[in-house]
Amino acid sequence: MDVVSLGEVMVQMNAAEPGPLRAVRLFERHIAGSEANTLAGLSRLGFSTRFISRVGDDEMGMAVVSELSSYGVDTSCVKVDCTAPTGVYFVQRGYPIPGKSRVSYYRSGSAASRMDADDIRPELLRDAGLFHVSGITPALGMGCRAAALRAAMIAHDEGVRMSFDTNIRVQLLKNRDTALEVVEPFLALADIVFTGSGDLDFMFGGEDRDHQVAMIRELCPRACVVVVKCGARGATAYPRDGNALSASAFSVPVVDELGAGDAFDAAFLACVLDGKDVDEALLHANAAGAIVVTAKGDLEPLPTWKDIELFMAAYLGSRETLMR
Ligand code: KDG
């Protein structure tokens, strides 16, 4: 298995039109969840992936399993929990800030939030090339935190590389102290770290970027690279040995920005697993993120290599060149 991850996949009710949720009458039903999005992205890029989770014994749980499987993700470790439902969330698009999406969760007490350390068996990770998790899963409850930590420890003990995306969701992690308490154990074990400019501001205050990067670096001494995603302003990678590398984003029409960060992680990790350089990884990751914001749903627009190449061929002429 190339990549293993765990987390929650929810039913996503995505507003058919931009505007405030209270005025939206029609929704498109998708399924999505950060870590699973990244796995599906890696599957689209040719890697074998395994997802560990729980869904409810309900129609939507069946949709989660069958749709994720249709992307090639191994869902044999997704348990059906008869005592809790599959989580749901609503997506408000383009309001009040054009191009921005906002989420409303109905996930408290969901089946996935009831995962615990017993969901993680060492053999699920032993054969993996990489273990990936984000700050969302340990924020779902103490059981999920224990499960994610057990998986991270097994990966560490078995010599499996680990990537971690801080992915702070303020609705789940209320304040800076809680956020740091949740992400620190994962940062300490991670070999590759993704974060965002908003996450850095939340964790370390509105200091200058170099100071924020120095702060997060102290928390992830093993990481060979820390990647800071800045949305429409591109991304910068800070390798442990070497100079920072920045790549500007592709400018595209934004339909729904959700899932872009997960697609970015997938393409970046795919490049790392393929042994490509960091600058190439940044370029492909930015392209994957840009492609995903052009359509609704986190999974449906995830690109293949061919899609990324076609996109880059069309856009590179008008795109600022990679900056060092
Ligand atoms: O990264 C996009 C996801 O965060 C979103 O679609 C749903 O996983 C999700 C979450 O927990 O917010």
Side-chain angles (χ1 to χ4, degrees):
M1 195 53 69
D2 293 318
V3 188
V4 176
S5 187
L6 83 166
E8 174 163 31
V9 176
M10 294 172 287
V11 174
Q12 181 195 84
M13 300 301 288
N14 199 311
E17 299 296 336
L21 275 188
R22 64 180 179 278
V24 176
R25 304 262 183 261
L26 285 174
F27 292 87
E28 257 182 43
R29 203 273 294 158
H30 298 266
I31 63 147
S34 176
E35 289 92 342
N37 297 344
T38 297
L39 287 189
L42 280 154
S43 289
R44 294 276 284 157
L45 296 171
F47 294 88
S48 56
T49 61
R50 170 184 292 146
F51 188 54
I52 304 167
S53 188
R54 292 194 196 180
V55 293
D57 185 13
D58 44 34
E59 290 291 330
M60 289 307 168
M62 284 165 63
V64 164
V65 172
S66 80
E67 288 182 32
L68 207 50
S69 308
S70 75
Y71 286 86
V73 178
D74 171 14
T75 54
S76 59
C77 304
V78 178
K79 290 185 194 162
V80 176
D81 183 335
C82 302
T83 63
T86 305
V88 180
Y89 72 117
F90 289 80
V91 181
Q92 168 173 296
R93 292 186 298 108
Y95 183 88
I97 306 170
K100 293 279 165 204
S101 298
R102 294 175 77 174
V103 298
S104 297
Y105 294 138
Y106 294 81
R107 70 192 306 182
S108 165
S110 68
S113 73
R114 293 153 73 114
M115 270 194 289
D116 59 37
D118 290 341
D119 289 71
I120 311 299
R121 286 176 283 120
E123 59 272 24
L124 300 180
L125 287 137
R126 221 169 252 149
D127 65 343
L130 181 83
F131 167 64
H132 174 75
V133 70
S134 92
I136 293 177
T137 301
L140 297 177
M142 292 315 281
C144 281
R145 200 184 302 185
L149 208 48
R150 177 163 157 78
M153 293 300 296
I154 293 170
H156 176 259
D157 293 347
E158 297 288 339
V160 173
R161 272 191 292 181
M162 171 176 156
S163 54
F164 179 66
D165 190 325
T166 53
N167 236 348
I168 289 171
R169 297 289 179 268
V170 182
Q171 293 103 309
L172 301 173
L173 282 173
K174 316 292 179 212
N175 60 52
R176 168 187 188 270
D177 289 345
T178 322
L180 281 172
E181 188 192 314
V182 166
V183 301
E184 271 181 18
F186 298 93
L187 286 171
L189 293 169
D191 300 289
I192 298 167
V193 169
F194 299 102
T195 189
S197 46
D199 285 7
L200 289 176
D201 291 347
F202 192 70
M203 288 187 289
F204 306 119
E207 306 284 346
D208 71 278
R209 182 57 39 77
D210 287 346
H211 179 74
Q212 292 175 331
V213 171
M215 303 269 282
I216 196 166
R217 266 241 153 270
E218 270 184 35
L219 299 176
C220 55
R222 291 170 50 91
C224 56
V225 64
V226 174
V227 183
V228 181
K229 297 178 273 185
C230 304
R233 284 174 289 119
T236 302
Y238 298 84
R240 187 173 45 209
D241 315 308
N243 297 328
L245 297 166
S246 292
S248 50
F250 295 89
S251 172
V252 290
V254 180
V255 173
D256 175 15
E257 57 172 358
L258 282 189
D262 307 323
F264 179 105
D265 292 2
F268 192 94
L269 292 173
C271 290
V272 170
L273 291 168
D274 275 348
K276 297 194 170 96
D277 291 340
V278 169
D279 49 5
E280 209 174 330
L282 274 181
L283 180 65
H284 286 82
N286 268 336
I291 291 170
V292 163
V293 305
T294 60
K296 274 178 269 180
D298 298 16
L299 296 176
E300 292 82 351
L302 284 166
T304 59
W305 287 123
K306 196 169 164 214
D307 296 328
I308 293 179
E309 295 307 330
L310 281 172
F311 174 88
M312 292 203 309
Y315 265 82
L316 273 177
S318 62
R319 186 179 166 279
E320 285 174 43
T321 48
L322 205 65
M323 302 173 303
R324 251 169 222 273

